[in-house]
Amino acid sequence: MPIFFNSEHQTFHLQSAASSYVIELVESAHPAHVYWGPKLSQETFDKHIFSIERCSFHPNLSADAMQFSLDTLPQEYPSYGSGDFREPAFEARYTDGTTISRLAYERHEIVSGKPALEGLPATYVENDAEAETLHLHLRDALTGLHVVLSYSVFNELDAITRSVRFINEGQEVIALGRALSASVDFNHSDFEFLQLSGAWIRERHIHKRELVPGIHRIDSKRGSSSHNQNPFIALLAKDSGEDFGEVYGLSLVYSGGFLGQVEVDSYGTTRAQLGIQPFDFEWRLEAGEAFQAPEAVMVRSSEGLGGMSRTYHKLYRTRLSRGEFRDKARPILVNNWEATYFNFNADKIKEIAASGKELGIELFVLDDGWFGKRDSDDSSLGDWFEDSRKLPEGLSKLASDITATGMEFGLWFEPEMVSPNSELYRNHPEWCLHVPNRSRTEARRQLILDLSRPDVCDYIVDSVSKVLESAPITYVKWDMNRNMTEIGSELLAANRQRETAHRYMLGLYSVLERIVSRFPHILFESCSGGGGRFDPGMLYYMPQTWTSDDSDAVERLKIQYGTSIVYPASSMGAHVSAVPNHQVGRITPLEMRGHVAMSGNFGYELDLTKFTEEEKTEVKAQVQQYKELRNLIQFGNFYRIKNPFESNDTAWAYVSEDRSEAFAAYFRVLGEPNAPLRRLKLKGLDPLKRYTVEGRLGTGESGQVYGGDELMNFGLPLPMLNGDFQSVLYVIKEA
């Protein structure tokens, strides 16, 4: 049992694989945060919250307990209005106009397993023995607001999930204005704050800063998790690094607007919070109604960022992703987008596919432009029927011709969008997000369909399903290329308009669940201008994401390195594209482009018919090597070795679960004159095993045998590399 309750001391002790999380019921009413750190051996925990009387500016709930103030109490789910002046985890407005809530403990349950969240993605278990769940029931006696804090603890992983459910058991309407999923109070502020931030074609760069008094905040008000910020924050002990030190991560399983923040108070305590974006959010609860907040996944590691990442990787790869492709090696693909953009016909597509087949590529993906009258990005979104001008024999015939060669066939959609210049919009202008009498802001010449409407959701499911049933399609790229404006719905009442953004996400999740359940044989990849919706919520429905629209090998080093802080390699789509690169204009060798792309779900996005014979030979070798390594890359343990945000070099490695084999990649961006001799110290191997190493070495022959301890402590001699944009791969196998 990983959860223990001590009735005498009123404490809950939650034990994950290597951590303990302790909650105390102060005065039998207030869930207080006692401890989150290395695992404590005792099942019971009899230490109490230590508090002292501060001053009159910290109000006391009772004149008989002057040392007790909510403003200094470390709380599990703080409210506002009764003396805590820090940021609350939730806010409710009642019919008398007040926003004061005072929750008190009522009861609890400890249950085996991990219940699903209604209408929302979440991590899961395959049998109840894998986890245990604590439900803490809190109640506001005056209003009847019932709040259930749920904590699930995994037995074999150092992870705890949190979620919150609000139930109106009173007689009057309650309006939620804030409903965060997790709030954790630490008793010190000796941390660095880590976030993953950027922009389109520059996603998930690592940024760190020391905490100071005040609020450190990241968020998205865009209606999606966004390119700009990722729904993840981490607190790093100041002496921690990649492989050592205490690290605490909080990740939100949600794809809409979010808030992640850390507040340091005047006494050096730290409050970390994560959840739905409260800006422009409100949710009305009629009597008897409930609201379910998304899940937050909390991971602690005493092995630095690397240990935290590997926990997230395993959890998200095996207990968040679902379906037959969760554990199945992903195919090598070629996508025609950068090869043709909108300018193609069936013959050109079959020509590229034939070239791919010759090179050993397994899947052809037809990107944007196959439907409606789509010759540019100014029309036809929503008109999901084939363009007979480009495909005179139809989509089914094209797909059948390609699959007859032994390749699989995939297709691009952007189902959540509508073009003003489309049959769908002309028939249903009311189907997009809009506000009456306001102009409709376009981006990429498109609007967003209102997925808070059941009729719109049904249209998407039906129209996409008809296409998927019409041809032998085994892969779908699901794109979404703009953020929300004029967030309103024609079907919602005036007092529910601020529910629109979240209702959209619930509608999207419903659509995805219906489609992926109907087509379990199809591999779905999510996309939003690349990485604009790379979040755990989407991974629940689609096990991989197009990592970024920037396919330049040098830029991808930072993007993929930053993404790996939370997300596994099996979730990252990575392609070789043409040079000069279409995003930054850089010219990099085909070898380096291949090596970077092989570090995720491998593919090509260029015109294969333009390869020289020499390039064809090189690509065949890349494809063959990836086929031999992909199970290791997609499902192995990932180790970051050299950080591209800190140096000219990047290196990472993938190690099998039994540590019998590994794959390492080293990249140097710019050439150096008279460079020093360097060694690459590997990670994750068995120090007692002997390994053969295949690759380009600075000294010695490829195939030489090394001890695991030698490879990790002394390292491999790197070759002298000539020129910019160089890379080396190493395949390590137990001797």
Side-chain angles (χ1 to χ4, degrees):
M1 289 176 55
I3 300 177
F4 305 92
F5 176 60
N6 183 325
S7 58
E8 178 184 358
H9 298 288
Q10 297 283 281
T11 55
F12 299 91
H13 186 177
L14 287 62
Q15 292 183 333
S16 60
S19 297
S20 285
Y21 189 102
V22 181
I23 302 165
E24 178 183 345
L25 297 175
V26 174
E27 296 189 343
S28 300
H30 306 283
H33 181 75
V34 178
Y35 176 83
W36 185 19
K39 191 170 186 176
L40 304 174
S41 59
Q42 291 183 334
E43 294 178 1
T44 60
F45 193 87
D46 58 4
K47 307 301 185 293
H48 292 268
I49 292 288
F50 175 70
S51 60
I52 61 173
E53 182 180 350
R54 287 289 185 179
C55 67
S56 62
F57 290 96
H58 299 292
N60 310 112
L61 286 178
S62 170
D64 298 327
M66 298 300 289
Q67 80 283 357
F68 174 60
S69 171
L70 293 180
D71 199 31
T72 56
L73 183 72
Q75 298 173 66
E76 282 298 309
Y77 206 67
S79 61
Y80 178 78
S82 295
D84 188 345
F85 298 106
R86 296 166 291 178
E87 290 280 300
F90 80 101
E91 185 176 19
R93 180 169 50 84
Y94 304 101
T95 53
D96 62 1
T98 64
T99 56
I100 309 304
S101 299
R102 189 174 293 181
L103 299 177
Y105 168 81
E106 184 179 66
R107 59 188 171 88
H108 72 271
E109 302 115 35
I110 299 173
V111 299
S112 297
K114 185 178 185 296
L117 300 187
E118 182 181 352
L120 287 167
T123 56
Y124 60 88
V125 295
E126 292 190 334
N127 65 75
D128 286 349
E130 292 182 12
E132 202 163 58
T133 298
L134 166 67
H135 298 299
L136 278 179
H137 294 260
L138 314 178
R139 182 183 297 277
D140 185 324
L142 180 63
T143 64
L145 177 62
H146 178 192
V147 177
V148 184
L149 308 182
S150 295
Y151 303 74
S152 291
V153 184
F154 288 87
N155 291 326
E156 302 299 327
L157 290 168
D158 213 10
I160 298 172
T161 68
R162 288 187 61 174
S163 62
V164 186
R165 187 170 179 84
F166 299 84
I167 308 156
N168 182 1
E169 295 181 350
Q171 300 302 310
E172 298 180 338
V173 174
I174 298 174
L176 294 175
R178 175 186 290 242
L180 301 184
S181 297
S183 183
V184 182
D185 285 353
F186 296 88
N187 62 11
H188 67 90
S189 59
D190 297 325
F191 293 115
E192 286 186 308
F193 179 71
L194 184 145
Q195 64 194 70
L196 302 176
S197 306
W200 174 67
I201 67 173
R202 186 168 42 81
E203 298 92 340
R204 290 173 301 285
H205 281 208
I206 298 172
H207 296 270
K208 290 193 291 186
R209 48 186 156 139
E210 285 194 12
L211 295 184
V212 297
I215 294 178
H216 305 250
R217 173 180 293 158
I218 63 167
D219 70 351
S220 170
K221 303 178 185 73
R222 296 171 172 267
S224 72
S225 48
S226 85
H227 301 85
N228 309 72
Q229 307 288 356
N230 198 259
F232 165 81
I233 58 175
L235 293 175
L236 287 62
K238 289 184 178 179
D239 61 348
S240 63
E242 178 64 29
D243 304 304
F244 55 88
E246 292 286 309
V247 174
Y248 299 85
L250 286 83
S251 173
L252 188 66
V253 186
Y254 189 63
S255 308
F258 73 93
L259 170 69
Q261 67 181 22
V262 173
E263 180 178 10
V264 177
D265 72 2
S266 55
Y267 299 112
T269 67
T270 301
R271 174 168 289 175
Q273 298 177 318
L274 188 64
I276 290 177
Q277 171 63 260
F279 176 82
D280 201 40
F281 166 83
E282 186 174 86
W283 196 276
R284 286 173 59 84
L285 291 176
E286 302 285 346
E289 289 185 341
F291 176 82
Q292 176 65 58
E295 177 174 273
V297 179
M298 309 193 310
V299 170
R300 188 205 69 89
S301 167
S302 59
E303 298 177 349
L305 275 173
M308 180 202 72
S309 296
R310 284 185 288 279
T311 298
Y312 274 120
H313 294 175
K314 188 167 186 178
L315 180 62
Y316 284 178
R317 191 178 67 239
T318 65
R319 292 298 182 267
L320 178 65
S321 295
R322 301 175 299 159
E324 67 177 75
F325 291 96
R326 185 191 75 177
D327 305 318
K328 187 176 180 180
R330 314 288 167 73
I332 302 170
L333 65 83
V334 57
N335 182 301
N336 72 295
W337 178 239
E338 289 194 14
T340 66
Y341 293 103
F342 296 103
N343 185 25
F344 62 83
N345 56 35
D347 290 338
K348 179 61 178 178
I349 293 303
K350 286 191 279 190
E351 186 182 1
I352 295 173
S355 297
K357 176 63 178 176
E358 177 189 348
L359 299 172
I361 295 172
E362 300 157 316
L363 166 66
F364 176 84
V365 180
L366 178 60
D367 211 283
D368 196 355
W370 58 268
F371 55 92
K373 296 180 180 178
R374 183 81 164 169
D375 297 322
S376 66
D377 60 10
D378 64 0
S379 74
S380 301
L381 287 174
D383 297 342
W384 299 113
F385 49 84
E386 61 211 26
D387 183 350
S388 58
R389 299 169 305 150
K390 296 178 182 178
L391 308 176
E393 295 184 285
L395 182 66
S396 179
K397 180 65 163 62
L398 174 64
S400 296
D401 287 347
I402 290 175
T403 57
T405 69
M407 290 190 82
E408 295 182 68
F409 183 80
L411 199 60
W412 178 96
F413 288 90
E414 194 172 0
E416 299 166 63
M417 300 292 154
V418 62
S419 301
N421 181 15
S422 68
E423 291 185 18
L424 179 63
Y425 187 78
R426 285 186 283 272
N427 292 330
H428 293 286
E430 76 282 7
W431 274 14
C432 68
L433 293 175
H434 69 282
V435 174
N437 303 316
R438 295 285 184 187
S439 60
R440 302 183 180 190
T441 305
E442 296 180 21
R444 201 176 179 249
R445 300 181 180 88
Q446 60 196 55
L447 299 167
I448 304 179
L449 290 172
D450 179 3
L451 269 66
S452 73
R453 298 177 57 128
D455 51 354
V456 172
C457 293
D458 289 343
Y459 171 78
I460 292 175
V461 172
D462 292 343
S463 59
V464 171
S465 295
K466 285 178 183 176
V467 176
L468 297 181
E469 290 165 348
S470 72
I473 296 167
T474 57
Y475 168 99
V476 165
K477 180 180 179 183
W478 184 291
D479 212 341
M480 192 279 285
N481 280 309
R482 62 157 295 185
N483 292 138
M484 292 182 184
T485 55
E486 291 82 50
I487 305 175
S489 174
E490 190 169 298
L491 292 189
L492 291 177
N495 58 11
R496 289 192 178 272
Q497 287 299 315
R498 296 179 75 179
E499 299 176 5
T500 304
H502 183 62
R503 286 186 181 275
Y504 178 100
M505 294 313 309
L506 296 178
L508 172 62
Y509 291 148
S510 173
V511 165
L512 296 179
E513 183 66 33
R514 291 160 66 185
I515 290 178
V516 301
S517 299
R518 186 178 297 186
F519 301 98
H521 66 286
I522 293 179
L523 170 60
F524 287 85
E525 178 177 276
S526 66
C527 178
S528 176
R533 206 162 60 183
F534 202 132
D535 59 65
M538 294 305 292
L539 288 182
Y540 183 74
Y541 303 97
M542 304 184 183
Q544 62 188 58
T545 300
W546 177 228
T547 312
S548 175
D549 275 352
D550 191 339
S551 54
D552 170 62
V554 174
E555 288 300 312
R556 271 301 188 102
L557 293 174
K558 290 182 177 178
I559 292 169
Q560 291 175 206
Y561 189 99
T563 302
S564 76
I565 293 292
V566 185
Y567 305 101
S570 61
S571 68
M572 290 189 238
H575 298 170
V576 176
S577 60
V579 291
N581 176 263
H582 291 193
Q583 291 79 48
V584 299
R586 196 180 345 254
I587 297 175
T588 52
L590 179 57
E591 180 180 54
M592 183 186 184
R593 282 178 279 153
H595 290 173
V596 174
M598 287 168 67
S599 299
N601 292 319
F602 189 43
Y604 293 82
E605 192 151 336
L606 41 67
D607 192 344
L608 301 176
T609 66
K610 296 181 178 179
F611 275 151
T612 65
E613 289 303 316
E614 182 180 359
E615 288 172 328
K616 288 181 181 179
T617 299
E618 186 172 354
V619 168
K620 283 181 180 179
Q622 288 178 353
V623 169
Q624 182 56 40
Q625 184 170 35
Y626 188 77
K627 288 178 179 178
E628 296 170 359
L629 294 170
R630 66 178 153 193
N631 277 296
L632 178 59
I633 294 168
Q634 292 172 6
F635 307 118
N637 291 317
F638 182 73
Y639 292 84
R640 292 180 293 268
I641 300 174
K642 289 185 175 291
N643 186 342
F645 296 97
E646 298 176 352
S647 73
N648 189 43
D649 302 324
T650 304
W652 48 55
Y654 308 81
V655 182
S656 64
E657 196 71 38
D658 63 2
R659 297 192 287 180
S660 65
E661 59 178 331
F663 165 69
Y666 170 82
F667 308 92
R668 193 195 64 193
V669 176
L670 298 178
E672 299 177 74
N674 199 21
L677 297 175
R678 293 189 172 92
R679 304 185 74 88
L680 181 65
K681 294 181 181 180
L682 302 181
K683 298 178 181 180
L685 302 176
D686 187 333
L688 302 179
K689 288 184 176 180
R690 306 281 291 170
Y691 296 92
T692 59
V693 178
E694 300 288 346
R696 193 151 42 116
L697 301 173
T699 59
E701 298 295 327
S702 181
Q704 188 170 335
V705 177
Y706 299 83
D709 54 352
E710 182 182 0
L711 291 172
M712 292 189 290
N713 296 312
F714 187 45
L716 288 171
L718 289 167
M720 294 296 290
L721 299 173
N722 184 36
D724 299 336
F725 317 130
Q726 298 296 307
S727 59
V728 185
L729 300 186
Y730 297 101
V731 178
I732 301 103
K733 294 185 178 181
E734 185 178 355

